[in-house]
Amino acid sequence: MIEKIEEIYSSFKNELNALSKQAEVLNLKAAILGKKGSLSEILKGLKDASPEERQKIGPVSNEIKKSIERDIIDKLKAIEFDEINEKLEKNRTDFSLRDSLRELGLQGGGLHPTHQIQREIEDVFLSMGFEVLDGPHIEDEYHNFEALNIPETHPARDMQDTFWFADKKHLLRTHTSTIQIRGMKERKPPFAFVGPGKVFRSERTDTTHEMAFHQLEGMMVGEKINTGHLIYFMKTLLKAIFKKDMEVRLRPGYFPFVEPGFELDIRWKKPDPKDESARHSGWLELLPCGMVHPNVLKAGGVDPEKYSGFAFGLGLDRLVMVNYAIEDIRLLHRGDLRFNKQFASF
Ligand code: PHE
């Protein structure tokens, strides 16, 4: 009897291997394990066997039954996998819709200039070994202020008009510096990352102010990181954006989360020096930055005795404005296609 059972199993294996459809596999299963299945039939004969025989056959047939069930499950999985792959292969989606739209004489989409510049800068930093991190728009007071060395009573809170939620604990992040804290907590030094994104301030809008705008935060922490490193990376960044060496100057700047803190200005000339509105000529304030305050390192779980770091916050919309000599920041957010199309990346 045992030989018979083993025979059934090996012919089952051969048949199973040859199958490629789910239904065939299920039929095969029924033909063996079903009520009238070959294995079931044999086991029916057990009742006529001697007690010793039954004791021997029982465990063997159970084992084989289990193996068959396992093989069937594996096979069904493999078939499903093949089917999915086949479908994917057949229904390969062509995402190059842009060209088809054009063939139809329609206007396709493109990247907003702010995002174009954001991606360009991300690439520069990725090439220098930085990571690119994301952070939530809705933040808590701790990450936006407290952990950045701005306690509740600190007047620096007034520098950033904030959209608070009704619970007075949550807010729309006023800067991407929140990503400093989140990034530090998840890593061990040395590390370096940038964090781009939208930020929000409850401000009256005018040509240079918007209530939502974009920043790109950057941070590098390690042993003996100093201001020289900060300047090197900032100059490298500016060179990549403006395609030439930029003259920069550092002025003292106050931000509670850096010490010392700086405003990094670039020497800037408008393309047309005769232009009356060339008010950006001269030094242009572009990049607030500084050496990370020890309290902030501590809040991020980094030992300030052992490590130091720099941080900066680049205004992306401001950069687009400088780059393309755009006079009014509100143009960037209006969604007017006549404006956007001038920059779209196609
Ligand atoms: N978070 C600051 C702001 O939005 C900018 C900044 C970032 C300054 C990092 C220093 C270091 O005003």
Side-chain angles (χ1 to χ4, degrees):
M1 219 168 183
I2 288 196
E3 279 113 67
K4 255 204 177 151
I5 295 178
E6 275 167 356
E7 228 178 271
I8 289 183
Y9 185 59
S10 75
S11 73
F12 156 77
K13 277 291 237 190
N14 286 337
E15 278 181 63
L16 188 68
N17 275 338
L19 299 182
S20 61
K21 297 224 159 47
Q22 215 180 359
E24 294 168 346
V25 176
L26 294 175
N27 283 341
L28 179 63
K29 182 181 174 189
I32 298 174
L33 299 182
K35 253 195 193 155
K36 294 234 163 67
S38 47
L39 188 65
S40 317
E41 288 296 331
I42 291 187
L43 295 181
K44 272 184 206 156
L46 262 185
K47 61 180 185 317
D48 305 323
S50 66
E52 297 86 56
E53 239 185 331
R54 250 187 263 172
Q55 246 182 20
K56 258 203 265 162
I57 296 172
V60 174
S61 67
N62 257 342
E63 263 319 299
I64 290 206
K65 208 168 151 185
K66 267 196 221 142
S67 303
I68 292 179
E69 274 163 357
R70 219 178 300 124
D71 292 344
I72 298 253
I73 289 175
D74 288 348
K75 181 73 184 182
L76 288 175
K77 267 196 210 147
I79 290 178
E80 193 183 356
F81 190 72
D82 286 347
E83 277 174 1
I84 291 175
N85 272 338
E86 206 178 302
K87 262 194 209 149
L88 281 178
E89 199 50 50
K90 257 201 228 144
N91 302 336
R92 195 172 276 278
T93 309
D94 178 9
F95 288 105
S96 57
L97 190 59
R98 236 165 39 184
D99 289 338
S100 2
L101 280 177
R102 237 190 238 155
E103 278 159 26
L104 292 171
L106 296 171
Q107 175 72 53
L111 271 189
H112 188 278
T114 309
H115 285 120
Q116 243 168 276
I117 241 170
Q118 177 185 322
R119 289 197 184 175
E120 224 174 275
I121 296 173
E122 283 175 12
D123 284 345
V124 174
F125 280 103
L126 281 170
S127 76
M128 296 192 288
F130 284 63
E131 291 173 80
V132 178
L133 305 187
D134 204 3
H137 288 167
I138 298 177
E139 264 295 1
D140 49 38
E141 188 185 347
Y142 176 76
H143 286 91
N144 201 85
F145 292 127
E146 200 83 36
L148 287 163
N149 204 27
I150 318 175
E152 197 178 342
T153 51
H154 201 290
R157 286 212 180 178
D158 297 339
M159 284 160 60
Q160 304 183 346
D161 290 310
T162 310
F163 285 113
W164 288 94
F165 282 76
D167 69 1
K168 293 274 158 45
K169 291 192 172 68
H170 291 86
L171 48 91
L172 292 178
R173 70 174 175 200
T174 57
H175 51 183
T176 44
S177 300
T178 54
I179 299 176
Q180 287 187 28
I181 304 299
R182 294 182 178 277
M184 275 192 286
K185 275 193 192 152
E186 286 163 9
R187 319 189 138 59
K188 294 236 167 317
F191 54 73
F193 54 78
V194 292
K198 245 192 199 100
V199 297
F200 308 85
R201 306 248 176 117
S202 171
E203 278 180 318
R204 214 170 266 280
T205 57
D206 60 29
T207 53
T208 54
H209 294 89
E210 258 289 16
M211 41 172 245
F213 52 101
H214 299 82
Q215 292 186 332
L216 181 130
E217 196 79 10
M219 181 175 225
M220 176 177 261
V221 172
E223 275 178 57
K224 301 201 180 76
I225 299 288
N226 60 45
T227 317
H229 297 111
L230 169 65
I231 297 175
Y232 166 78
F233 280 101
M234 296 306 96
K235 286 193 91 165
T236 309
L237 165 68
L238 295 169
K239 187 172 178 181
I241 297 170
F242 295 103
K243 319 280 186 264
K244 59 173 191 214
D245 274 318
M246 297 298 283
E247 199 182 332
V248 302
R249 75 171 183 193
L250 283 187
R251 285 179 295 120
Y254 177 67
F255 305 94
F257 33 96
V258 284
E259 178 59 38
F262 309 107
E263 295 281 3
L264 189 145
D265 302 340
I266 56 169
R267 172 80 87 182
W268 182 251
K269 283 218 173 54
K270 286 273 290 263
D272 179 4
K274 282 190 266 46
D275 186 346
E276 282 283 332
S277 65
R279 58 195 158 93
H280 290 329
S281 295
W283 290 104
L284 176 70
E285 185 180 311
L286 190 70
L287 247 171
C289 54
M291 302 308 294
V292 184
H293 194 287
N295 287 350
V296 177
L297 289 173
K298 267 190 236 160
V302 173
D303 179 2
E305 298 292 328
K306 196 161 172 217
Y307 299 105
S308 53
F310 67 74
F312 62 91
L314 178 66
L316 291 176
D317 313 80
R318 159 68 71 90
L319 200 57
V320 174
M321 290 172 73
V322 170
N323 213 6
Y324 295 110
I326 296 167
E327 295 281 322
D328 189 340
I329 190 171
R330 292 168 297 191
L331 284 167
L332 287 173
H333 296 250
R334 204 164 276 163
D336 186 336
L337 281 179
R338 288 168 303 180
F339 176 81
N340 288 0
K341 259 160 53 180
Q342 299 177 55
F343 309 93
S345 55
F346 57 89

